Amino acid sequence: MTQAPKDADARRAIPPVIAYPTDTLPGADLPLYRSALSGAVLTDSITVPPRDARCFEVPAGCFFRIVSVEGPQVGDLDLWNAADLSERFYSGKTRALHGTHVTTGNRLWSAFPFLRPMATIVEDSLDWYGRDSHGGAVHDVIGTRCDPYTGALLTGARYHHCCHSNLTRALSAARNMPLAEAEAHVHDVLNVFMCTGFTKDTGQYFMKASPVRPGDSLTFLAEIPLLGALSACPGGDCSSEHSSDEAQCHPLRIDILKPRDGDMAGWQSPAPSGYDRSHGT
């Protein structure tokens, strides 16, 4: 290790600065959303089998809810603009704006050049968890998704029901496209119900048993017309491992809810970023 300079402690002591202050970030009208949600009507329900994924669509201004139904289970969520798959959830920018884990009031942002809210979290039954003594919290945007490529790299395994593959199959089936074409659209996820953080000594990404229990849910407003895909992770509650058939796994359910006419009065779907894309030319 390189010898530390004489002013090492002083350099470390410099206070941090928030990279993206959110004082001027467009906020969600949560009272309106919650009021509309209270009278919303269930229009569809999709069950995601263990170690598999399903796609679903949500009209703009409607709600979708991810529900734990039988036992502790985490899910990997991808989102796209239903009319344009090039507009997709941007986990990195969501993380930069809201932090490593998201909860009520936070928004899932889309990729460049759109950069607008795709969905807003309206209710989170696990918001009580906060951050534990290990630095863990729930619903992360720091992990990617379990995938066959990393498994092959680290262990030589050939496992086909990890979340990346599940999402690829689901999108392929939903949009009737070849697997290779669908895979190109699968991207980093929101790890729903997953409890994660970084170790204090090595800074490594860790997972631990999810606090989710049957009946827990995470509810969103679709800010734009959405195509979603949810994988019921092969890691189950992610208390020990993923990308295998060893963990006990359970299904997840996605409920689609439509507000009553007039209950979202005044709401408008957000426009894409106003940046002119001139990039200095």
Side-chain angles (χ1 to χ4, degrees), residues 48-255:
V48 183
R51 297 185 174 87
D52 209 344
R54 292 290 185 271
C55 281
F56 59 96
E57 293 203 27
V58 192
C62 290
F63 300 94
F64 68 100
R65 174 177 289 145
I66 300 173
V67 186
S68 169
V69 290
E70 290 183 8
Q73 176 66 45
V74 307
D76 285 35
L77 176 69
D78 265 353
L79 294 176
W80 301 267
N81 181 331
D84 179 4
L85 297 187
S86 70
E87 183 173 11
R88 64 191 198 182
F89 170 51
Y90 188 179
S91 64
K93 188 58 67 178
T94 299
R95 178 173 65 248
L97 291 171
H98 295 303
T100 57
H101 299 76
V102 293
T103 188
T104 307
N106 294 155
R107 316 183 93 170
L108 306 187
W109 294 80
S110 65
F112 302 152
F114 309 96
L115 194 61
R116 59 176 165 175
M118 301 184 80
T120 299
I121 300 176
V122 182
E123 289 183 347
D124 175 10
S125 72
L126 294 176
D127 59 3
W128 56 267
Y129 190 87
R131 195 168 298 271
D132 63 35
S133 60
H134 303 285
V138 184
H139 313 310
D140 86 70
V141 284
I142 50 179
T144 51
R145 59 213 177 270
C146 55
D147 68 273
Y149 302 101
T150 306
L153 174 68
L154 297 178
T155 68
R158 295 292 186 271
Y159 186 70
H160 305 299
H161 292 274
C162 50
C163 289
H164 177 85
S165 298
N166 297 345
L167 294 166
T168 298
R169 292 194 312 274
L171 182 59
S172 173
R175 287 299 170 102
N176 193 26
M177 61 175 65
L179 279 173
E181 183 180 345
E183 184 177 22
H185 292 288
V186 173
H187 54 281
D188 284 350
V189 296
L190 169 62
N191 286 307
V192 178
F193 302 143
M194 192 170 181
C195 189
T196 60
F198 294 107
T199 58
K200 295 177 181 178
D201 51 354
T202 63
Q204 288 176 287
Y205 180 59
F206 72 75
M207 60 186 190
K208 58 182 290 187
S210 172
V212 69
R213 296 294 182 269
D216 280 321
S217 63
L218 187 64
T219 306
F220 305 80
L221 175 82
E223 299 279 0
I224 64 173
L226 291 176
L227 171 67
L230 180 69
S231 172
C233 181
D237 69 354
C238 287
S239 58
S240 59
E241 61 178 333
H242 54 69
S243 299
S244 83
D245 289 330
E246 299 302 316
Q248 185 177 16
C249 292
H250 304 277
L252 292 169
R253 192 180 76 237
I254 306 152
D255 292 339

Side-chain angles (χ1 to χ4, degrees), residues 5-7 20 44 47 72 113 134 136 226 256:
K6 293 181 180 179
D7 64 344
Y20 294 99
D44 197 9
T47 297
H134 303 285
L226 291 176
I256 313 299

Side-chain angles (χ1 to χ4, degrees), residues 36-37 39-41 61-63 221 257-264:
L37 178 61
V41 176
C62 290
F63 300 94
L221 175 82
L257 303 109
K258 181 181 179 181
R260 295 174 301 197
D261 291 345
D263 279 3
M264 289 290 286

